Structure formats: C-alpha cells, structure tokens
C-alpha cells in the first residue's frame, strides 16, 4: 500500500458526506458518479471499514464514517484554501523578490525607480543585491536579475530591454597632452584602465564603420571591480578607459570626457531582465519584468553623438 495518503479519496468522501449523495457530489466536483464511487470504495478498503450504509433509496454515514467525515472535510477545506491562495498569488503581484543588479547601474538607474515601483506594487518587497560580480541565480536563490551582456546566459530566460554601448573615453586634458588616437592599435601604447568583470575577456574589440575589426589588449596601472572607481583617474587626465554609456553620458554631456575614435564602435551588448525559468512565473516576477521594460527600454543615458 502506498504511504502517500489518498487525498483524492478523502476529498470525494468529504464531499459525498456533505452533499448526501454520490450524484450530487459528482456534480459539484465536475466528475462522474462512477469516479466518486470508486474513490470512496478505494478509501474504505484502505481504511479497513465502511464509511456509508447504502440502500437503493438512502445513503447514510456509518458510525466509523461519522468519525472520519469532519476530519476529511477539514482536509478538503484546507486544500481549497491553499489552492485559492496560490491562485491569488499567481494573479496579484505580491511577496518578496530577490533581485540582483550590477552596482553602478543599480545605483544610477534602478534605485531612482524604486519609489515608483513600491508605490505601484505595495504588496511586493524587494531584496536588492547590488554587485558587479556575476551571481548564479539558481544556486544563490535569486528570483531575477538585470544583466548587462553581449549575450545572456543561455541557461536563463532573458528579456532584452535595450541596447548598452561601450565607449572609449578620455578627458580633454589627457587629449591635449597626448593627442587624439586615430586608430585603435594606438591604444596598445597608451595608458589604459581596466574593468575586472568585463564579459568574455579583457580584450577591447573595435569595429569600423566599414566592417573591419581591431583587437587591443589594454595595459595600465589600475584595474577595478566597479567602473565608477575609474572616473577620478580619467578626470585627472591620466589615462583612457572603456566606459558603459549609462555612466559616461553624464560626463560627456558636460564636456568632462570625450568619446575617442568616433568611426569605431566597441562591443554592443544589451540590458536583460533574466529569470531562471519562464514556466509558472508568479505575478510579482511578471510585474517587475514589465515595469523595467517600461522604464528602461528608452533610457535617458543615450549619448546623442553615438549612432543608434
């Protein structure tokens, strides 16, 4: 005999006891009368006692059945409440969301959206993890992440929100002292700053408007795990750096930095909302995905002099 309780038999027994007939119970549950009859018979055999006294005109609980009916009814009601609560959770955005976001991007562009998010979804709580280090969504127990990548992890479900460009930048002071590079290969002999969590490799790959490519291995005195740490060195005119557009645009707009090699583009990635699985995603995850798609698909950080 299976060690798993016969929940179906208990549920059908409870409904027959409540309705007073097999036919009425079958109608309420949307199944056939033989299905209910077989379930009750199976439960009687399992429990070792008759639950009903049956005649052609009357159905009555036995003493044993009466002792079991209330408990079976409790189990049935608890199951109904559980299903109702689960359905409600799947429709109404509520509950905690563990969300992983890159540090610099999160502080600049996600944190300012949080007041609007929390007002719009008052029953959602957000556990926001800010780090440039890549996290394992499944192993680390995250519900979702915003990721900036050339291509997202194929094992995850990714929704592309917008393009994210990388730019080679330097300050006017640096360019006045060292001159404007005319070709990416010149960067190999320049002082360049590095970002430790750069996707794929530390090589800077440039693509010309004519389709030709050039790879450069940057060298310099500073490598960081957060691109914001490069800004003071750049502004002092000491080096060149690769910078994501969502950080660089602020400094490009007021002239503190300039884009190098305008006829060449660096890696063009994207901002993705990623989740471990697309199956049975609760309403809270769908709500966050739609929220970020609405507010980040046409980002304010676009730099006008960079071609779309």
């Amino acid at each position: 005999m299976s060690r798993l309780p016969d929940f179906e038999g208990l549920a059908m027994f409870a409904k027959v006891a409540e309705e007073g007939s097999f036919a009425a119970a079958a109608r309420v549950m949307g199944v056939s009368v033989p299905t209910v009859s077989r379930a009750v018979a199976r439960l009687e055999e399992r429990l070792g006692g008759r639950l009903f006294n049956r005649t052609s005109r009357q159905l009555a609980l036995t003493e044993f059945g009466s002792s079991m009916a209330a408990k079976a009814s409790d189990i049935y009601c608890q199951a109904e409440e559980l299903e109702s609560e689960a359905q409600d959770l799947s429709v109404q955005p509520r509950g905690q969301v563990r969300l992983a976001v890159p540090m610099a991007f999160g502080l600049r562009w996600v944190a300012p959206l949080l007041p609007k998010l929390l007002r719009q979804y008052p029953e959602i709580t957000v556990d926001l993890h800010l780090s440039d280090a890549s996290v394992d969504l499944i192993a680390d127990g995250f519900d979702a992440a915003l990721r900036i990548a050339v291509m997202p992890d194929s094992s995850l479900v990714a929704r592309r929100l917008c393009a994210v460009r990388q730019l080679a930048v330097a300050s006017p002071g640096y360019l006045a002292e060292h001159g404007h590079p005319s070709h990416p290969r010149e960067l190999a002999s320049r002082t360049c700053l590095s970002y430790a969590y750069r996707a794929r490799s530390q090589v800077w790959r440039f693509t010309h408007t004519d389709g030709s490519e050039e790879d450069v291995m940057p060298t310099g005195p500073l490598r960081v795990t957060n691109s914001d740490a490069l800004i003071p060195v750049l502004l002092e005119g000491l080096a060149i750096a690769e910078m994501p557009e969502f950080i660089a645009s602020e400094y490009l707009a007021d002239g503190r930095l300039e884009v190098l090699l305008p006829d060449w583009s660096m890696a063009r990635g994207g901002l993705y909302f990623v989740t471990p699985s697309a199956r049975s995603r609760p309403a809270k995850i769908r709500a966050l995905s739609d929220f970020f798609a609405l507010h980040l698909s046409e980002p304010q950080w676009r730099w006008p002099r960079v071609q779309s």
Side-chain angles (χ1 to χ4, degrees):
M1 183 174 65
S2 172
R3 294 183 179 180
L4 183 67
D6 186 356
F7 291 109
E8 181 185 62
L10 288 167
M12 292 188 175
F13 161 59
K15 189 55 66 175
V16 172
E18 179 183 331
E19 298 294 331
S21 77
F22 282 81
R27 186 168 55 252
V28 169
M29 291 186 289
V31 297
S32 67
V33 174
T35 297
V36 177
S37 181
R38 285 194 297 269
V40 172
R42 184 180 68 241
L43 183 64
E44 287 179 324
E45 181 178 357
R46 182 184 180 104
L47 298 179
R50 291 181 60 81
L51 297 169
F52 295 102
N53 286 319
R54 306 169 179 84
T55 67
S56 59
R57 296 183 177 181
Q58 189 176 6
L59 179 72
L61 286 165
T62 64
E63 182 178 352
F64 175 63
S66 296
S67 68
M68 299 295 297
K71 294 178 181 178
S73 180
D74 286 342
I75 293 172
Y76 188 91
C77 290
Q78 289 175 21
E80 282 189 319
E81 290 173 4
L82 177 62
E83 285 192 353
S84 177
E85 182 179 345
Q87 290 169 356
D88 188 43
L89 283 171
S90 69
V91 174
Q92 300 298 327
R94 64 176 60 171
Q96 185 185 78
V97 177
R98 296 197 70 224
L99 178 67
V101 180
M103 176 73 75
F105 182 81
L107 292 175
R108 276 179 169 80
W109 301 105
V110 176
L113 293 175
L114 292 179
K116 183 177 293 185
L117 173 66
L118 297 178
R119 287 194 186 99
Q120 185 170 340
Y121 300 109
E123 295 188 67
I124 288 180
T125 60
V126 180
D127 182 357
L128 183 62
H129 178 86
L130 294 170
S131 174
D132 284 356
S134 181
V135 299
D136 186 325
L137 264 64
I138 297 173
D140 296 332
F142 285 98
D143 298 297
L146 288 172
R147 284 191 174 167
I148 298 166
V150 175
M151 287 293 290
D153 186 336
S154 60
S155 68
L156 302 173
V157 178
R159 178 179 185 177
R160 192 174 190 271
L161 304 183
C162 67
V164 176
R165 301 178 183 88
Q166 298 293 120
L167 307 171
V169 297
S171 71
Y174 175 90
L175 297 172
E177 182 177 352
H178 301 281
H180 288 258
S182 59
H183 194 279
R185 70 171 67 98
E186 295 178 34
L187 301 183
S189 60
R190 300 285 188 105
T191 301
C192 298
L193 310 178
S194 301
Y195 175 61
Y197 293 131
R198 192 176 189 277
R200 295 180 182 268
S201 74
Q202 293 302 308
V203 173
W204 293 357
R205 172 159 291 179
F206 291 85
T207 303
H208 194 268
T209 52
D210 64 10
S212 60
E213 295 184 346
E214 185 76 25
D215 289 350
V216 177
M217 177 62 77
T219 59
L222 181 63
R223 185 168 180 260
V224 302
T225 59
N226 188 300
S227 294
D228 276 315
L230 302 176
I231 296 297
V233 180
L234 282 174
L235 297 181
E236 282 293 318
L238 300 179
I240 293 169
E242 176 193 40
M243 192 69 59
E245 186 183 15
F246 63 81
I247 295 179
S249 60
E250 172 188 346
Y251 301 93
L252 296 171
D254 60 17
R256 286 181 288 172
L257 293 177
E258 295 183 20
V259 177
L260 308 182
L261 304 165
D263 292 332
W264 296 80
S265 62
M266 301 189 77
R268 298 192 178 200
L271 173 67
Y272 297 87
F273 184 86
V274 299
T275 56
S277 173
R279 297 176 60 188
S280 302
R281 291 201 304 174
K284 61 184 180 181
I285 303 302
R286 297 195 300 271
L288 256 66
S289 178
D290 291 343
F291 178 86
F292 287 125
L294 175 64
H295 294 288
L296 296 175
S297 291
E298 297 294 334
Q300 300 177 16
W301 65 71
R302 289 284 180 250
W303 177 237
R305 294 198 292 268
V306 178
Q307 186 176 356
S308 299

